Amino acid sequence: MKKYGFYIIKDEFYELVEDKNLKSNKSENRPHYFCLEYKDFYWMIPISSQVEKYKKIIEDKLKKGKKCDILHVAKLDDGSYAAFLIQDVFPITEKYVEREFIKFGKHFIITSESLIEELEKKAKTIINLSMRGVKFLPTQVDINNIIKKLNAKNM
């Protein structure tokens, strides 16, 4: 797997972890941004094209004087914009990656170092909080349970 690329996840992963809070896989057709290799796993951040919706959420948090590590809107290498739903980050192993997300005939990858740095920083914050059991959303993915199931499957 290439760092910072987009990937399609196998439906088998969703069947294994049975987490109702994971974003829909759309029959192995939802691209996920491969965020980083961290704590023995790959971590995927779902993306959304509903940029305006998430921009408003970010702006509302910032107006209240709060940080917003759970979301990030950015311009991608192809010039389009996407919302990174960091709040929904989840661990995975390469076994459950169906394929690379292909755009314009090649694997779609983030190349902006500043975007990569910002996403990694936010993702690590959310991952660490989640692993300590901190709940910041009612629809939060249970990453500790996913890790437990991935580890049990790999034993």
Side-chain angles (χ1 to χ4, degrees):
M1 287 181 54
K2 295 177 187 166
K3 288 180 103 178
Y4 319 121
F6 288 77
Y7 291 88
I8 305 296
I9 308 303
K10 293 179 182 178
D11 284 336
E12 178 185 352
F13 171 77
Y14 291 81
E15 293 162 11
L16 170 71
V17 301
E18 299 179 307
D19 190 317
K20 65 182 177 3
N21 293 321
L22 280 173
K23 293 288 181 226
S24 167
N25 199 32
K26 299 181 181 180
S27 300
E28 295 182 356
N29 214 15
R30 177 195 256 301
H32 285 79
Y33 170 72
F34 166 53
C35 183
L36 66 147
E37 198 170 343
Y38 184 60
K39 297 191 182 233
D40 300 324
F41 290 97
Y42 295 110
W43 294 85
M44 300 300 215
I45 298 175
I47 60 168
S48 174
S49 60
Q50 296 179 16
V51 172
E52 293 307 314
K53 171 186 173 180
Y54 291 106
K55 269 186 180 178
K56 183 173 176 0
I57 293 169
I58 292 168
E59 288 169 10
D60 290 347
K61 282 188 156 294
L62 295 176
K63 280 180 190 172
K64 294 176 183 173
K66 297 179 181 179
K67 282 176 52 176
C68 190
D69 288 336
I70 62 172
L71 299 166
H72 191 85
V73 172
K75 187 175 185 178
L76 304 178
D77 288 17
D78 67 351
S80 67
Y81 283 83
F84 291 83
L85 312 181
I86 301 167
Q87 64 201 16
D88 297 320
V89 66
F90 60 89
I92 196 165
T93 60
E94 194 167 354
K95 173 183 178 177
Y96 296 103
V97 174
E98 176 64 30
R99 62 182 166 81
E100 297 173 343
F101 178 70
I102 306 298
K103 195 165 188 177
F104 307 119
K106 63 181 185 174
H107 184 197
F108 195 62
I109 296 174
I110 297 293
T111 59
S112 165
E113 289 185 28
S114 61
L115 175 56
I116 289 167
E117 186 177 307
E118 187 69 25
L119 289 169
E120 282 190 338
K121 180 181 171 191
K122 288 181 176 185
K124 285 179 180 180
T125 297
I126 296 306
I127 292 165
N128 289 329
L129 287 170
S130 294
M131 289 180 87
R132 289 196 322 254
V134 175
K135 288 286 271 181
F136 38 85
L137 289 172
T139 58
Q140 188 169 324
V141 174
D142 186 347
I143 65 172
N144 287 320
N145 190 47
I146 294 173
I147 289 170
K148 187 170 113 182
K149 288 182 177 186
L150 289 172
N151 285 335
K153 192 72 172 173
N154 289 328
M155 292 183 155

